[in-house]
């Protein structure tokens, strides 16, 4: 018989995310947040271009739409505020995707639902 603990944990983590978002998110959009969060937590943040290249085959609109949904408020639009851009000190053209305190809180809660630690 299949061990359903992982599926149960995943279900609870997804349910948590849906409660935290006032908008509907696609799997591709959640992947964008997950990749940006992974890079930030590993200490090697990624850029939007790297993110888009990693998600090759994902509809470009989904990645582009996510770019706005997860960011802090911009141009009067209320977004989730889970990610921010940070300019690279060595090359100001490069903008790293970083977690905000709210994004880190959401990520930690998701990891808790999954029964994992955010430090690996």
């Amino acid at each position: 018989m299949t061990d359903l603990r992982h599926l149960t944990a995943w279900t609870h983590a997804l349910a948590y995310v849906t409660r935290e978002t006032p908008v509907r998110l696609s799997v591709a959009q959640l992947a964008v947040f997950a990749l940006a969060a992974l890079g930030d937590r590993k200490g090697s943040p990624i850029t939007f271009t790297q993110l888009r290249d990693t998600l090759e085959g994902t509809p470009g609109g989904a990645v582009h739409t996510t770019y706005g949904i997860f960011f802090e408020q911009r141009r009067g639009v209320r977004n989730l505020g889970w990610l921010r851009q940070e300019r690279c000190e060595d090359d100001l053209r490069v903008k790293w995707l970083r977690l905000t305190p709210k994004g880190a809180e959401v990520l930690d809660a998701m990891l808790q639902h999954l029964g994992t630690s955010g430090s690996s």
Side-chain angles (χ1 to χ4, degrees), residues 1 7-8 16 33 39 45 48 53 57 59 68 73 76 86 88 92 98 105 107 110 112-113:
M1 174 162 224
L7 181 57
T8 301
Y16 169 78
F33 174 69
F48 178 73
D53 291 346
Q73 182 172 337
E86 183 178 286
C88 173
L92 296 179
R98 304 299 302 254
E105 177 184 312
L107 178 64
M110 288 176 64
Q112 186 173 21
H113 283 289

Side-chain angles (χ1 to χ4, degrees), residues 44-60:
S44 54
I46 63 174
T47 65
F48 178 73
T49 301
Q50 292 168 321
L51 194 150
R52 191 183 62 226
D53 291 346
T54 301
L55 293 173
E56 182 181 350
T58 301

Side-chain angles (χ1 to χ4, degrees), residues 43-83:
S44 54
I46 63 174
T47 65
F48 178 73
T49 301
Q50 292 168 321
L51 194 150
R52 191 183 62 226
D53 291 346
T54 301
L55 293 173
E56 182 181 350
T58 301
V63 175
H64 190 287
T65 300
T66 298
Y67 196 65
I69 289 173
F70 288 110
F71 275 84
E72 297 172 306
Q73 182 172 337
R74 289 169 31 162
R75 291 185 228 128
V77 176
R78 287 193 74 216
N79 297 317
L80 293 173
W82 296 357
L83 297 174

